[in-house]
Amino acid sequence: MTDDDLELRVAWQRHFGRSTEASRWLDTVLGHHRGSGRHYHDVRHVRWVVRHATDLAEFTDDLTAVIAAAFFHDAVYDATRSDNEAASARLADRALSDLGWPADRRRHVVAMIDATADHVVALADRDTQVLLAADLAVLATDPARYSDEGRAVRREYAHVYEADWRAGRSAVLRGL
């Protein structure tokens, strides 16, 4: 078991328990993050987001919901598609339903995951602000780490021509 796996398993069990169903969903979500073509939106990224969300716990209203959104927010990820967040939100809703979460709390997690599509912090509630801050924490990391992560994102978008990549990446960063 890798350090990423161990840290994520501990966080998952702390928030979702150790039941057979909870363990099955952890394996499912981590399996998604290990999918082919994952260079940035992988298990390491989930660990990063969960860790940062936990560090910001004092600013949340429902830390466990934020952690659920952190685990699932990029579970479905295909760099050629534009519906990743919606598909990830549906997966989270199904998992949390299986784990016995009430509909209103599941809707909250779904809304947080949907918010990662555009990262508009000004319109977000406290929990969503924490999730978005944790998801984008890499932008405030040291230059070497940021550079490594940028290269990993570029590998996920290898199908995009270099000029288009630069223009698109620049637009995304300016928008943030």
Side-chain angles (χ1 to χ4, degrees), residues 4 8 15 19 25 28 34-35 45 61 66 75 81 84 86 93 97 113-114 121 126 138 149 156 158:
D4 292 335
L8 289 173
H15 292 278
S19 70
W25 273 110
T28 297
R34 288 190 186 98
H45 174 65
D61 293 319
V66 175
R81 298 186 56 109
N84 294 314
D93 187 51
S97 177
I113 294 169
D114 286 340
V121 175
R126 287 168 47 103
V138 69
E149 301 297 348
E156 287 186 350

Side-chain angles (χ1 to χ4, degrees), residues 45-128:
H45 174 65
V46 176
R47 179 184 184 190
W48 177 266
V49 177
V50 168
R51 183 183 290 171
H52 284 282
T54 302
D55 289 345
L56 296 169
E58 68 185 277
F59 302 105
T60 67
D61 293 319
D62 185 348
L63 178 60
T64 297
V66 175
I67 297 300
F71 269 96
F72 283 95
H73 80 285
D74 287 323
V76 177
Y77 195 84
D78 178 342
T80 65
R81 298 186 56 109
S82 62
D83 64 344
N84 294 314
E85 292 81 9
S88 294
R90 285 191 302 274
L91 181 67
D93 187 51
R94 200 164 51 249
L96 297 173
S97 177
D98 286 354
L99 295 176
W101 283 38
D104 61 331
R105 199 168 183 212
R106 293 192 325 262
R107 279 192 296 273
H108 182 50
V109 172
V110 165
M112 282 189 276
I113 294 169
D114 286 340
T116 65
D118 56 21
H119 291 87
V120 179
V121 175
L123 303 176
D125 62 55
R126 287 168 47 103
D127 290 342
T128 304

Side-chain angles (χ1 to χ4, degrees), residues 37-42 44-45 48 135 138 149 152-153 156:
R38 300 281 187 128
H39 302 284
Y40 175 75
H41 295 96
D42 58 7
R44 185 177 61 171
H45 174 65
W48 177 266
D135 191 28
V138 69
E149 301 297 348
V153 173
E156 287 186 350

